[in-house]
Amino acid sequence: MSSADIESARKDLLLWSPPIIADLMAGSYAASLGVRHPSARLFASMHTRMWRFVLQDNRSKLAEARKELTDMALLAGLDRPRLEAIDQAVLEELLDVIAARFTRSPEHVRTYSRVLLKTAADLTEMRLLAS
């Protein structure tokens, strides 16, 4: 599998994943802060934006967005493990969608999974840098 295949998968993922990520974020922050919490939508939007940067492989904007999200979340009483759990839920949901979408193409599943493995590695690196 070539780097062009992986880049193509990344671009495709950027086209169809944002609504899935946004929906998962909305539910996660509503569950964490309460449905009526005034900041739940703000955190969901910030975290969704951060995911767009990680999927774009935009490391500088990712680092900035992650720091901003983490700092504000800590002020609201959300700890780092909660943010990491939300990221884990997004990765799992995207893997589930990829597996369902490409049931007849194991090669596509591998290609998209490599994009998500890189995404997971980038998120881990951002966490380590923020610690």
Side-chain angles (χ1 to χ4, degrees), residues 57-91:
D57 201 22
N58 189 332
R59 299 177 65 71
S60 63
K61 287 188 178 182
L62 169 60
E64 181 182 310
R66 184 63 183 207
K67 181 174 179 1
E68 182 181 22
L69 173 66
T70 302
D71 291 348
M72 288 187 65
L74 292 172
L75 290 173
L78 295 172
D79 59 7
R80 283 185 176 93
R82 181 65 195 135
L83 296 177
E84 291 168 13
I86 294 170
D87 287 335
Q88 181 68 31
V90 172
L91 283 168

Side-chain angles (χ1 to χ4, degrees), residues 87-115:
D87 287 335
Q88 181 68 31
V90 172
L91 283 168
E92 290 173 5
E93 182 70 19
L94 293 178
L95 279 171
D96 288 347
V97 171
I98 288 165
R101 183 176 179 200
F102 298 113
T103 56
R104 295 178 187 236
S105 178
E107 186 172 325
H108 279 92
V109 171
R110 278 191 298 278
T111 302
Y112 281 81
S113 294
R114 286 190 180 185
V115 172

Side-chain angles (χ1 to χ4, degrees), residues 51 54 88 91 115-125 127:
W51 265 87
V54 75
Q88 181 68 31
L91 283 168
V115 172
L116 291 181
L117 282 171
K118 169 91 167 67
T119 299
D122 289 347
L123 289 171
T124 299
E125 184 179 336
R127 277 188 229 122

Side-chain angles (χ1 to χ4, degrees), residues 11-80:
K11 288 178 181 178
D12 185 50
L13 193 59
L14 277 163
L15 289 175
W16 59 258
S17 68
I20 296 166
I21 295 169
D23 191 47
L24 201 133
M25 291 299 172
S28 295
Y29 283 102
S32 297
L33 296 168
V35 176
R36 297 198 190 324
H37 192 282
S39 297
R41 290 175 65 186
L42 172 66
F43 283 115
S45 175
M46 289 175 68
H47 208 151
T48 300
R49 181 174 153 257
M50 187 210 78
W51 265 87
R52 185 175 63 248
F53 294 142
V54 75
L55 290 174
Q56 289 172 340
D57 201 22
N58 189 332
R59 299 177 65 71
S60 63
K61 287 188 178 182
L62 169 60
E64 181 182 310
R66 184 63 183 207
K67 181 174 179 1
E68 182 181 22
L69 173 66
T70 302
D71 291 348
M72 288 187 65
L74 292 172
L75 290 173
L78 295 172
D79 59 7
R80 283 185 176 93

